């Protein structure tokens, strides 16, 4: 066995120490093991005992060590000495002491708090193990309503969160893999190491593929990672998903006549009678919505115990008022979405639309049940998933409302196999109209129903008081503050604090965001590297890297009956490389506590945290200086008992408890009805129209419609036929958000697939333009914004699109290894009235472009 | 006999490069060299088209062309079938690099740190001792597998599409998986008769 001695001995790093923790490279918070050698973090891999990600992590999660020791890391506070701000202007940073930084910031806070605390805005998309709840509590206790998750709320889930809140009392959607047989994905690559439930979904979908037990259909302009692994890819023209979905609804109701009649009658508002004003017909005495009982041939209150049956169809006369059940209105409304007409709009063949609708209703197995834990409950194994691709449009609202009709029509809501809510709200309630409602007091992302009160002038910088059914509306910040007279701006933002957000790059159009942030006199960034937003700041504080901090996410569970509910944490594996005593901190919250103390609102901050966490008895924060670790300890003990504090979690990391059929499938047990007919939108629109008119604010209210309608984005009327393509952006599994770009290993992998330089375009389209694979091209928008990239002529793209990847095209010098990579997709967008959905606050990402070879005479 | 090998289920793989990066981090390879890259290949014509993802690595051939091509006999096959380069013997001729039909070998030209700004504490802690001007490749992660652990690429895979073990043992993990899956695993480029120990399920 002489040759056995030839085994290379290199690279054996048996870990001296392993810290079990949680990843923050995206918002999923996967369980990780951080390996250390001589106190240096050398490796990160999956925690085999954490149910969140089943022991595996993605490429982004593994490169953490490269980030800890990145030469681009900011380790000391800095202040700008060049008053002139610009993405490509040197701020002439000067290193300052923590003491100088904190005293400067707290002086600003004191002045602002006395003047008008609303002038402070706090932005942080610090979700996994981050401190969303603490940031909101800190901002609220300062006296400002202006806390925002920052970048994501320009386009992320405007028409996604809304719908899952509405019909599922949840934050977003998932799939019940144990029972699901048919998954329709629209504009998302869920299950392909992007998006929510990132690794469990990927793993489960792989199991489903290998065993052939589920059909997956992906609707997307390009055959993405998800499309390539799907059973069927349906290429679609950008911005037409709503038409496609409304056509599916039309085929289901009007051609196939198949829907879950019992569910619609008893568990939705489909039978509620609607008058010609599109509002419910109400009982003159009780004020309750009416239905028509065909047995007694009478209108009755929706909850009248004498109801023998409900009419879904027909036209009635109640006290001289003509009315129809909501379902009849929908049936009539969708008739015009014939597969033939929609085929022209979407480029999806009419036969494909009919086939998909047929598969959906057949696979839904209407009427079937399954027994779980002794309960016989409905089985509806069809689910639908959608995200930014479908949601980020001018008429975004209608898209989400149309899509939610698909599972609602077949009763596939929170029952085995059906569309599942994820991130369930703890407080479901039933309104006096008998409909499901929920509230979210921890997050700023708000449910649409019941609509909030409309008022002017707005309290918040987001004009949120004019968005009664939106989840959030920060897109209004640049619009209103750059047009203060038009929008009768009540006050300007005079101070911004942002934590790992980089909204200048990752929210709206880069040029607009740069222009807006220049108007803010004092900007403070907590940042790992000198990214775009840090570059535009006045003071930059070093952010604490996720492998160096302590954090507590909410308890998690995966959709369906399998598994447990579980709590785990983020734990510090090494101290942050800051000057003492700041090397002792374990979170940005430690700095916020210090600032609150100096600016005189520490007690308010404690009170707000007490409320947010529901702290009781001996765990209430009061009259003492707490560190973040102290607070974590109290919170844990408050929730899990005096023996389950921070030390217990440091030692044991994961706490699990069982779930039952009622927790797993609330749809089978809910007493509240859900929406099929969106009456409340109509009412909310009336309020907004009245208030904006009374106050002379120009406001678009045409998208407040109870019956969702496909309408073309502005890009459907290009200024000339030269702009014959749309540019779309796509996630790739090796990059998340804007924060993963400076990792050398990820840069190399992205480069190996040419995602770093290239944009994909259809090979035939390219050929007609004289463009060959590898040619450098210019992509130019209708307003003259430009990007350059290498053309990757491809067979997996819709003929009308150019596809770019990730959130790249970086412009600042603070991350030199990221410069020159990819296209700045956001930089090509527009932010104006024409490109904002005034109902859900989405920013349109449907942008027309022309492309031509670089140096070609066509320019 | 023992024949260490790997089954890769292409139905499961989503082309996410978790394996690629796991290998790079585990072995501290230079940033421009991957021992286990995933190939993206478009197939078909629009709209009947898609991308096929093919995770690759050293095939640890039973009859390795690299071993035959090496003029200094630096490449050897262990009794368990794992093919390794002995860098103390390798003279950097590069014959193996061109001989391997799978593109699994690279000649290490220099000792680059991850960032061009210079050496980081991570570079020092995980300092790669690869000899310059030698050929390097996937080792089936012997530093882990010889201790009974799975290779880093196998552990990381979100879809668990890679199954490592003894291909000669009918009860090994890969053979059990193949049996359950009910499909015959195939090698890449079988016509070359290299007899790879990495086999693919489609």
């Amino acid at each position: 066995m002489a040759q056995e001695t030839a085994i290379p001995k290199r690279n054996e790093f048996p870990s001296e120490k392993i810290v079990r923790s949680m990843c923050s490279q995206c918002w999923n918070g996967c369980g990780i093991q951080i390996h250390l050698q001589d106190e240096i973090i050398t490796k990160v891999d999956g925690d085999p005992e954490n149910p969140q990600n089943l022991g595996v992590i993605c490429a982004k999660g593994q490169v953490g060590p490269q980030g800890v020791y990145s030469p681009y890391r900011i380790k000391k506070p800095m202040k700008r000495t060049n008053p002139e701000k610009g993405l490509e202007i040197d701020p002439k940073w000067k290193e300052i002491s923590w003491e100088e930084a904190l005293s400067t910031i707290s002086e600003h806070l004191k002045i602002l708090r006395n003047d008008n605390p609303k002038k402070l805005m706090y932005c942080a998309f610090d979700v996994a193990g981050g401190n969303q709840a603490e940031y909101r509590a800190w901002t609220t206790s300062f006296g400002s309503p202006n806390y925002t998750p920052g970048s994501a709320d320009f386009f992320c889930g405007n028409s996604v969160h809304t719908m899952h809140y509405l019909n599922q009392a949840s934050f977003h959607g998932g799939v019940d893999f144990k029972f699901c047989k048919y998954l329709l994905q629209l504009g998302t690559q869920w299950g392909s190491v992007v998006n929510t439930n990132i690794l469990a979904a990927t793993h489960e979908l792989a199991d489903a593929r290998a065993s052939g037990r589920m059909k997956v259909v992906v609707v997307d302009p390009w055959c993405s990672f998800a499309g390539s692994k799907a059973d069927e890819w349906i290429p679609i023209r950008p911005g037409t998903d709503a038409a496609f979905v409304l056509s599916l609804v039309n085929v289901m109701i009007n051609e196939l006549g198949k829907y879950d009649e019992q569910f619609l009658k008893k568990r939705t508002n489909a039978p509620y009678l609607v008058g010609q004003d599109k509002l419910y017909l109400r009982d003159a005495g009780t004020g309750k919505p009416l239905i028509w009982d065909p047995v007694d041939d009478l209108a009755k209150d929706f909850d009248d115990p004498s109801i023998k049956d409900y009419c879904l169809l027909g036209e009635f006369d109640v006290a001289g008022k003509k009315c129809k059940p909501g379902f009849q209105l929908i049936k009539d409304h969708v008739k015009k979405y014939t597969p033939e007409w929609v085929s022209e709009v979407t480029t999806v063949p009419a036969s494909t639309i009919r086939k998909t609708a047929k598969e959906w209703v057949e696979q839904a197995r209407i009427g079937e049940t399954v027994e779980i834990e002794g309960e016989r409950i409905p089985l509806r194994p069809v689910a639908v998933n959608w995200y930014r691709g479908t949601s980020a449009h001018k008429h975004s609202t209608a898209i989400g409302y149309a899509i939610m009709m698909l599972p609602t029509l077949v009763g596939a809501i929170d029952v085995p196999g059906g569309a599942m809510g994820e991130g369930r709200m703890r407080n479901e309630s039933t309104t006096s109209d008998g409909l499901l409602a929920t509230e979210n007091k921890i997050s700023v992302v708000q449910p649409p129903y019941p609509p909030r009160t409309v008022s002017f002038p707005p309290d918040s910088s987001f004009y949120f008081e004019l968005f009664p059914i939106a989840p959030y509306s920060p897109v209004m910040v640049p619009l209103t503050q750059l047009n203060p007279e038009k929008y009768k701006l009540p006050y300007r933002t005079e101070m911004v604090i942002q934590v790992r957000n980089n909204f200048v790059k990752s929210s709206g159009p880069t040029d607009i965001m740069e222009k807006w942030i220049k108007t803010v006199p004092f900007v403070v960034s907590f940042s790992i590297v000198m990214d775009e937003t840090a570059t535009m700041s006045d003071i930059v504080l070093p952010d604490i890297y996720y492998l160096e901090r302590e954090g507590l996410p909410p308890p998690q569970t995966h959709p369906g009956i399998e598994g447990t509910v579980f709590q785990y944490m983020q734990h510090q594996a090494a101290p942050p490389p800051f000057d003492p005593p700041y090397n002792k901190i374990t979170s940005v919250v430690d700095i916020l506590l210090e600032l609150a103390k100096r600016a005189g609102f520490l007690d308010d901050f404690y009170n707000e945290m007490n409320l947010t966490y529901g702290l009781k008895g001996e765990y209430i924060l009061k009259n003492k200086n707490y560190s973040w670790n102290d607070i974590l300890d109290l919170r844990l003990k408050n929730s899990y008992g005096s023996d389950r504090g921070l030390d217990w979690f440091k030692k044991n990391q994961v706490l699990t408890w069982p779930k039952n059929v009622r927790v797993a499938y609330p749809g089978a047990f809910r007493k509240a009805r859900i929406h099929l007919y969106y009456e409340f939108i109509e009412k909310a629109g009336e309020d907004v129209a009245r208030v904006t008119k009374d106050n002379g604010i120009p406001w678009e209210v045409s998208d407040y419609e109870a019956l969702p309608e496909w309408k073309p984005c502005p890009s459907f009327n290009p200024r000339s036929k030269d702009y014959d393509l749309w540019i779309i952006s796509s996630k790739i599994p090796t990059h998340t958000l804007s924060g993963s770009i400076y990792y050398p290993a990820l840069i190399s992998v992205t480069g190996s697939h040419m995602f770093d330089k290239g944009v994909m375009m259809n090979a035939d389209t390219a050929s007609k333009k004289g463009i060959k694979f590898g040619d450098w091209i210019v992509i130019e928008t209708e307003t003259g914004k430009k990007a350059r990239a290498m053309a990757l002529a491809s067979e997996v793209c819709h003929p009308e699109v150019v596809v770019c990847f990730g959130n790249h095209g970086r412009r600042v010098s603070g991350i030199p290894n990221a410069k020159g990579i990819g296209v700045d997709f956001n930089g090509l967008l527009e932010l104006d009235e024409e490109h904002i959905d005034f109902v859900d606050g989405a920013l349109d990402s449907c942008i027309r472009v022309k492309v031509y070879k670089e140096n070609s005479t066509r320019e | 006999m023992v024949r260490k090998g790997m089954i890769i289920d292409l139905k499961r793989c989503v082309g996410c490069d978790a394996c690629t990066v796991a290998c790079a981090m585990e072995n501290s390879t230079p940033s421009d060299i991957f021992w286990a890259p995933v190939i993206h290949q478009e197939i078909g014509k629009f709209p009947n088209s898609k991308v096929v993802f093919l995770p690759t690595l050293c095939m640890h051939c039973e009859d390795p062309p690299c071993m035959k091509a090496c003029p200094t006999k630096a490449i050897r096959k262990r009794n368990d079938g794992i093919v390794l380069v002995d860098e103390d013997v390798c003279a950097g001729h590069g014959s193996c690099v061109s001989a391997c039909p799978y593109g699994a070998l690279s000649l290490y030209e220099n000792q680059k740190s991850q960032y061009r700004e210079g050496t980081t504490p991570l570079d020092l802690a995980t300092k790669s001792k690869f000899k310059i001007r030698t050929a390097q490749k996937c080792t089936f992660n012997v530093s882990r597998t010889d201790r009974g652990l799975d290779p880093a690429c196998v552990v990381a895979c979100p879809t668990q599409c890679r199954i490592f073990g003894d291909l000669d043992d009918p009860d090994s993990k890969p053979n059990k998986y193949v049996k359950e899956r009910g499909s015959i695993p195939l090698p890449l480029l079988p016509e070359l008769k290299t007899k790879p120990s990495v086999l693919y399920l489609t």
Side-chain angles (χ1 to χ4, degrees):
Chain A
M1 300 278 284
Q3 61 195 29
E4 296 286 323
T5 59
I7 300 168
K9 290 295 180 196
R10 69 178 74 90
N11 299 323
E12 289 193 47
F13 311 115
S15 305
E16 276 183 353
K17 189 172 145 195
I18 292 177
V19 176
R20 294 171 71 194
S21 183
M22 179 176 115
C23 186
S24 289
Q25 295 281 47
C26 77
W27 53 85
N28 284 283
C30 292
I32 54 172
Q33 301 185 118
I34 308 168
H35 298 252
L36 293 101
Q37 183 73 21
D38 294 328
E39 299 302 313
I40 300 289
I41 296 168
T42 53
K43 181 175 149 174
V44 175
D45 59 9
D47 178 354
E49 287 167 47
N50 193 319
Q52 175 74 347
N53 48 308
L54 316 169
V56 296
I57 57 167
C58 69
K60 305 169 287 265
Q62 298 182 64
V63 297
Q66 293 189 339
V68 185
Y69 306 106
S70 163
Y72 312 137
R73 260 192 89 170
I74 299 166
K75 293 178 188 161
K76 288 177 192 295
M78 284 185 278
K79 71 171 179 191
R80 77 164 42 240
T81 59
N82 182 2
E84 200 193 340
K85 290 182 180 178
L87 280 175
E88 275 144 54
I89 297 169
D90 182 0
K92 301 207 164 73
W93 294 116
K94 181 174 175 255
E95 280 184 10
I96 53 173
S97 67
W98 279 88
E99 182 50 40
E100 184 184 343
L102 297 184
S103 63
T104 310
I105 297 166
S106 52
E107 282 312 305
H108 274 84
L109 288 172
K110 273 190 225 166
I111 294 166
L112 212 59
R113 200 159 189 251
N114 282 328
D115 168 20
N116 177 1
K118 293 176 197 169
K119 293 180 177 176
L120 173 75
M121 187 183 297
Y122 195 113
C123 313
F125 190 70
D126 187 6
V127 181
N131 307 103
Q132 298 289 81
E134 292 72 31
Y135 298 155
R136 191 203 55 76
W138 190 84
T139 314
T140 305
S141 59
F142 180 79
S144 173
N146 296 317
Y147 166 68
T148 164
S151 305
D153 38 19
F154 277 61
F155 46 69
C156 170
N158 303 64
S159 84
V160 182
H161 302 312
T162 307
M163 299 318 303
H164 295 295
Y165 272 137
L166 183 68
N167 274 3
Q168 306 189 282
S170 297
F171 192 72
H172 50 230
V175 174
D176 179 17
F177 281 101
K178 185 175 163 66
F179 293 108
C180 186
K181 295 285 179 217
Y182 191 87
L183 173 61
L184 180 62
Q185 304 218 60
L186 298 150
T188 181
Q189 298 194 63
W190 194 83
S192 298
V193 198
V194 296
N195 219 324
T196 57
N197 199 357
I198 183 164
L199 288 167
T202 302
H203 187 272
E204 297 285 348
L205 213 47
D207 268 354
R209 265 197 309 277
S211 65
R213 66 167 193 262
M214 186 199 295
K215 176 165 182 177
V216 179
V217 177
V218 170
V219 184
D220 201 307
W222 82 292
C223 193
S224 60
F225 287 79
S228 292
K229 299 307 292 189
D231 297 281
E232 187 178 352
W233 166 46
I234 301 179
I236 190 168
R237 178 180 281 150
T240 63
D241 305 75
F244 173 75
V245 171
L246 289 165
S247 191
L248 296 181
V249 173
N250 179 27
V251 175
M252 283 162 68
I253 300 179
N254 288 310
E255 292 190 13
L256 301 169
K258 280 194 176 170
Y259 40 84
D260 190 336
E261 199 178 314
Q262 288 308 310
F263 180 79
L264 293 181
K265 284 177 176 175
K266 292 172 184 161
R267 298 269 63 91
T268 76
N269 68 349
Y272 287 17
L273 295 173
V274 177
Q276 283 167 328
D277 57 359
K278 295 183 184 167
L279 303 178
Y280 298 141
L281 229 66
R282 292 175 183 277
D283 184 279
T286 62
K288 287 180 179 174
L290 297 167
I291 60 93
W292 193 270
D293 183 339
V295 179
D296 292 344
D297 212 18
L298 265 181
K300 296 179 179 177
D301 284 8
F302 75 90
D303 58 353
D304 187 331
S306 77
I307 292 174
K308 298 183 181 70
D309 196 5
Y310 303 82
C311 275
L312 287 177
L313 297 170
E315 189 172 0
F316 306 95
D317 195 307
V318 177
K321 284 184 189 156
K322 278 203 159 50
C323 57
K324 290 176 182 176
F327 186 75
Q328 177 72 55
L329 287 181
I330 291 166
K331 185 178 194 293
D332 298 343
H333 171 73
V334 295
K335 258 186 194 146
K336 61 177 176 282
Y337 293 92
T338 62
E340 284 67 28
W341 177 68
V342 168
S343 173
E344 284 170 34
V345 171
T346 59
T347 73
V348 177
S351 57
T352 305
I353 296 170
R354 286 201 170 88
K355 184 181 74 139
T356 308
K358 191 161 177 279
E359 285 176 353
W360 178 265
V361 284
E362 278 175 1
Q363 291 293 338
R365 302 188 186 183
I366 296 164
E368 286 192 26
T369 56
V370 60
E371 190 175 307
I372 299 171
E373 293 176 0
E375 302 272 5
R376 185 149 284 282
I377 57 177
L379 173 74
R380 295 289 182 280
V382 291
V384 59
N385 223 302
W386 73 106
Y387 247 103
R388 181 183 183 181
T390 26
S391 172
H393 292 286
K394 167 66 182 170
H395 308 289
S396 161
T397 301
I399 298 166
Y401 285 101
I403 296 174
M404 191 44 93
M405 285 183 170
L406 295 175
T408 306
L409 276 168
V410 296
I413 297 285
D414 293 333
V415 295
M420 302 298 286
E422 271 196 71
R424 292 198 186 282
M425 299 299 113
R426 283 177 208 168
N427 37 11
E428 290 191 9
S429 59
T430 308
T431 64
S432 55
D433 286 350
L435 290 156
L436 178 67
T438 188
E439 50 183 19
N440 188 347
K441 286 187 171 166
I442 293 173
S443 165
V444 291
V445 186
Q446 290 298 303
Y449 179 79
R452 296 172 297 274
T453 307
V454 179
S455 64
F456 193 87
D459 195 40
S460 83
S461 295
F462 317 128
Y463 278 51
F464 199 46
E465 289 75 7
L466 293 178
F467 284 87
I469 64 171
Y472 32 46
S473 60
V475 72
M476 295 309 284
V477 173
L479 186 72
T480 56
Q481 300 199 13
L482 291 172
N483 301 284
E485 283 158 20
K486 188 171 179 185
Y487 288 98
K488 299 191 175 164
L489 189 74
Y491 60 89
R492 276 189 174 283
T493 298
E494 291 188 4
M495 179 171 177
V496 167
I497 300 180
Q498 72 94 11
V499 183
R500 56 177 69 194
N501 188 283
N502 196 16
F503 54 81
V504 171
K505 171 71 180 78
S506 48
S507 54
T510 320
D511 56 337
I512 300 281
M513 297 311 292
E514 180 185 14
K515 202 170 155 192
W516 167 66
I517 196 71
K518 275 187 188 176
T519 69
V520 181
F522 190 61
V523 181
V524 178
S525 280
F526 287 85
S527 198
I528 298 285
V529 295
M530 196 56 78
D531 59 25
E532 284 77 359
T533 311
T535 299
M536 300 297 289
S537 301
D538 295 275
I539 286 190
V540 176
L541 289 165
D543 188 11
I544 183 162
Y545 198 71
Y546 74 99
L547 302 175
E548 299 163 347
R549 67 179 186 174
E550 298 281 332
L552 182 61
Q556 307 283 320
T557 189
H558 294 312
I561 190 68
E562 298 200 318
T564 56
V565 188
F566 46 96
Q567 176 71 68
Y568 59 106
M569 290 189 67
Q570 186 158 67
H571 293 301
Q572 185 178 56
F578 306 159
D579 290 337
Y582 296 93
N583 57 346
K584 299 276 185 259
I585 67 173
T586 62
S587 163
V588 165
V589 182
D590 279 317
I591 303 298
L592 296 182
L593 287 161
E594 177 67 20
L595 287 171
K597 190 176 159 194
R598 291 181 186 218
F601 63 102
L602 186 61
D603 288 340
D604 300 303
F605 186 28
Y606 286 168
N607 288 339
E608 195 62 36
M609 281 195 279
N610 287 332
L611 283 175
T612 304
Y613 309 140
L615 298 183
K616 293 185 187 78
E618 61 186 302
Y619 306 122
I620 291 174
L621 304 170
K622 59 184 175 219
N623 308 329
K624 203 187 127 185
N625 286 328
Y626 299 94
S627 70
W628 173 237
N629 278 14
D630 296 336
I631 294 172
L632 281 176
D633 191 48
L634 292 171
R635 279 176 65 188
L636 289 164
K637 287 174 175 166
N638 184 66
S639 299
Y640 302 113
S642 58
D643 55 342
R644 297 255 166 85
L646 186 56
D647 287 344
W648 188 92
F649 276 90
K650 272 185 188 284
K651 194 167 161 234
N652 300 285
Q653 175 62 344
V654 184
L655 178 68
T656 64
W657 57 97
K659 59 180 168 185
N660 59 36
V661 64
R662 286 173 179 270
V663 171
Y665 302 116
F669 303 96
R670 242 174 223 140
K671 292 290 167 251
R673 291 169 180 264
I674 57 170
H675 280 86
L676 184 74
Y677 176 72
Y678 307 117
E679 190 240 16
F680 68 97
I681 304 185
E682 213 54 53
K683 186 78 182 45
E686 283 175 14
D687 291 349
V688 175
R690 191 187 63 251
V691 171
T692 49
K693 191 169 171 242
D694 289 352
N695 288 281
I697 310 295
W699 208 265
E700 229 182 293
V701 290
S702 55
D703 282 328
Y704 281 98
E705 291 182 313
L707 295 164
E709 195 89 85
W710 174 75
K711 295 175 199 170
C713 293
S715 64
F716 281 70
N717 292 307
R719 64 174 58 171
S720 91
K721 62 178 172 32
D722 288 347
Y723 300 92
D724 55 349
L725 301 176
W726 277 276
I727 185 158
I728 62 169
S729 80
S730 180
K731 290 187 173 70
I732 47 176
T734 42
H735 282 291
T736 333
L737 312 169
S738 68
S740 59
I741 187 62
Y742 57 83
Y743 294 93
L746 298 183
I747 290 174
S748 298
V749 173
T750 311
S752 72
H753 301 305
M754 303 185 77
F755 289 146
D756 59 339
K757 294 186 189 68
V759 291
M760 273 189 189
M761 61 187 293
N762 180 283
D764 274 351
T765 307
S767 160
K768 280 178 199 151
K769 293 177 184 296
I771 294 167
K772 294 188 300 295
F773 190 102
D775 282 347
W776 281 88
I777 56 170
V778 177
I779 302 152
E780 186 177 335
T781 71
E782 292 181 82
T783 56
K785 295 181 178 183
K786 288 179 192 174
R788 69 187 287 272
M790 187 186 279
L792 309 176
S794 161
E795 292 294 338
V796 297
C797 284
H798 191 281
E800 296 170 5
V801 299
V802 179
V803 193
C804 67
F805 306 94
N807 185 354
H808 301 332
R810 310 306 288 267
R811 289 166 63 190
V812 289
S813 53
I815 31 176
N817 62 352
K819 260 200 153 180
I821 295 176
V823 167
D824 177 12
F825 176 73
N826 285 351
L828 301 173
L829 303 182
E830 300 296 331
L831 193 157
D832 52 27
E833 286 86 352
E834 219 193 341
H835 292 85
I836 289 172
D837 182 319
F838 278 79
V839 182
D840 70 7
L843 182 67
D844 194 358
S845 295
C846 230
I847 294 293
R848 275 286 177 131
V849 293
K850 62 179 176 185
V851 305
Y852 44 87
K853 269 163 80 167
E854 208 168 35
N855 305 320
S856 99
T857 50
R858 227 184 126 190
E859 191 173 359
Chain B
M1 285 293 282
V2 173
R3 187 172 152 233
K4 294 282 176 66
M6 192 182 286
I7 299 293
I8 300 180
D9 186 344
L10 296 180
K11 249 192 177 164
R12 302 187 74 95
C13 173
V14 290
C16 74
D17 277 313
C19 51
T20 317
V21 172
C23 171
M25 295 299 291
E26 177 75 17
N27 295 296
S28 311
T29 52
S31 62
D32 51 347
I33 293 175
F34 294 111
W35 289 354
V38 179
I39 295 167
H40 292 193
Q41 180 64 50
E42 283 185 11
I43 57 167
K45 295 284 276 181
F46 178 86
N48 302 306
S49 51
K50 65 175 178 177
V51 184
V52 170
F53 308 109
L54 184 72
T56 66
L57 64 166
C58 170
M59 299 290 147
H60 296 276
C61 306
E62 203 177 310
D63 191 7
C66 59
M67 193 163 88
K68 281 193 248 174
C70 177
T72 56
K73 299 205 177 343
I75 300 179
R76 302 178 209 165
K77 188 154 64 88
R78 303 200 315 188
N79 290 345
D80 60 4
I82 296 180
V83 178
L84 296 171
V85 182
D86 186 338
E87 59 183 23
D88 293 333
V89 181
C90 175
H93 287 99
S95 322
C96 56
V97 176
S98 35
C100 174
Y102 306 103
L105 289 110
S106 315
L107 209 54
Y108 277 34
E109 301 286 356
N110 49 37
Q111 188 81 265
K112 272 191 239 165
S113 55
Q114 296 290 339
Y115 292 93
R116 59 187 172 217
E117 284 74 9
T119 310
T120 69
L122 178 66
D123 289 324
L124 294 174
T126 60
K127 200 161 104 189
S128 132
K129 299 184 185 69
F130 299 117
K131 260 169 90 175
I132 301 307
R133 294 293 303 166
T134 63
Q136 302 288 350
K137 66 167 191 68
C138 155
T139 66
F140 263 163
N141 215 164
V142 285
S143 58
R144 285 176 60 90
T145 50
D146 282 353
R147 286 187 280 147
L149 302 169
D150 269 332
C153 60
V154 170
V155 173
C157 176
T159 69
Q160 297 289 288
C161 80
R162 295 162 171 257
I163 303 112
F164 178 79
D166 179 3
L167 299 183
D168 281 352
D169 173 4
D171 291 329
S172 69
K173 276 193 285 180
N175 283 330
K176 274 187 179 161
Y177 184 85
V178 167
K179 214 171 148 190
E180 268 175 41
R181 183 73 153 60
S183 166
I184 298 163
L186 301 167
L188 291 183
L189 308 176
E191 65 277 15
L192 301 178
K193 300 192 167 47
T194 54
K195 297 180 194 156
S197 296
V198 175
L199 301 166
Y200 295 87
L201 288 168
T202 53

